Amino acid sequence: MELSMARVPIQDGELEAAVLGVGEPLVLVPTALAADQLLPLAERLRTRFGVVHYHRRGYAGSSPAMPPGSVARDAADCAQLLAALAVERAHLLGTSYSAAVALQLAIDHPNLVHTLTLVEPPPVHGPADAAFRAANTALLADRRARGATAAADHFLTTTTGPDWRSRLDEAVPGSSAQVLRDSHTFLDADIPALLAWDCDDSTAARVRCPVLHVAGSDHGPLFHGVGGLIRRWLPAADQVTIAGTGHDVTFTHPDVLAEVLVPFLVRHPVG
């Protein structure tokens, strides 16, 4: 789709943003590496919601990200964006890295977040935390040795497959080139931000809104314990596992995800 995005001023910068459709506000917090990973989902939800699709600092045409990154700063940017768009309260969805950002926003600005959907949250603080950190340490070492573009290419070839470019471009045309252009933000800001993110039981307990946790059944061993972590942090959360999907469920199965998401949102109307 041809998407027209406006540059919205926030503190010390601008974020590209667009509101797709009309209805209750639903904010799709963009994840790491692929700026438009949530665009296919936005297209499927715009007939029922006013979907806020935007680019975080360091992605596409938004202001650059200044390393090291910060989950709290990304959450604050999102809060400022909503204020600029006159959105007083909204449904919020994050996936992978941006699930941490969305959760942090619900902790820091509970008045803004009406519902919180966490799709494949990162395994930091869970049982596979040490293995996840080791994998990211190796990735950052590769970035220092060979540069951001080569490290991102190797990472995607390993995690998605040698055809990762065609798979990304089939879902969102031009996204593979955008990924490589934004790879320095992923490696120099987002990964350090996630590894430094501080969240525990008492912090997560400050979330008061309805929560939906969505997992892919085939997301790999690093993510197997995340469901238990969410149950510990947010015991009242709804939990859904989508069969036959992996960690990139938002990109590969937006139709199925929308079918899971819409009933949850309808049960908790903003109005």
Side-chain angles (χ1 to χ4, degrees):
M1 63 167 291
E2 194 68 29
L3 183 62
S4 176
M5 302 186 77
R7 292 174 66 89
V8 180
I10 60 168
Q11 184 177 7
D12 301 324
E14 295 178 319
L15 299 182
E16 287 188 319
V19 179
L20 311 179
V22 177
E24 292 187 357
L26 168 59
V27 183
L28 303 183
V29 184
T31 190
L33 192 54
D36 291 319
Q37 180 170 325
L38 292 171
L39 189 55
L41 180 62
E43 276 293 285
R44 286 150 177 84
L45 295 171
R46 66 185 301 176
T47 59
R48 307 216 33 183
F49 302 94
V51 182
V52 178
H53 173 75
Y54 73 100
H55 295 143
R56 289 188 297 106
R57 292 181 193 259
Y59 286 93
S62 291
S63 294
M66 296 293 107
S70 164
V71 169
R73 184 177 67 195
D74 281 333
D77 283 352
C78 184
Q80 292 177 47
L81 173 66
L82 296 186
L85 296 176
V87 174
E88 296 181 353
R89 193 166 177 83
H91 302 291
L92 198 70
L93 180 147
T95 181
S96 192
Y97 171 82
S98 69
V101 177
L103 178 57
Q104 190 67 52
L105 183 61
I107 292 166
D108 294 341
H109 300 276
N111 58 306
L112 286 177
V113 183
H114 186 72
T115 69
L116 176 64
T117 299
L118 306 174
V119 182
E120 280 290 304
V124 287
H125 311 304
D129 182 46
F132 181 75
R133 290 177 184 275
N136 280 279
T137 298
L139 176 57
L140 294 179
D142 188 29
R143 186 264 184 273
R144 290 191 295 271
R146 300 194 299 139
T149 300
D153 181 21
H154 178 71
F155 170 76
L156 286 165
T157 300
T158 302
T159 58
T160 304
D163 60 342
W164 68 265
R165 291 176 178 80
S166 60
R167 292 179 63 182
L168 264 62
D169 289 337
E170 182 178 359
V172 180
S175 59
S176 65
Q178 189 66 59
V179 159
L180 295 179
R181 286 194 295 270
D182 295 337
S183 58
H184 60 285
T185 300
F186 169 61
L187 293 161
D188 299 341
D190 292 345
I191 290 181
L194 185 58
L195 297 180
W197 181 48
D198 185 18
C199 189
D200 56 20
D201 295 19
S202 61
T203 304
R206 289 157 53 189
V207 175
R208 291 289 180 261
C209 63
V211 178
L212 171 65
H213 169 228
V214 181
S217 64
D218 305 332
H219 51 196
L222 290 179
F223 295 86
H224 285 345
V226 173
L229 177 66
I230 298 300
R231 277 191 295 274
R232 193 182 81 213
W233 278 358
L234 305 165
D238 294 349
Q239 299 229 29
V240 176
T241 298
I242 300 179
T245 66
H247 182 63
D248 56 354
V249 56
T250 55
F251 210 60
T252 60
H253 292 76
D255 291 301
V256 180
L257 180 56
E259 290 174 1
V260 169
L261 179 61
V262 169
F264 170 73
L265 301 182
V266 169
R267 288 201 309 272
H268 304 286
V270 174

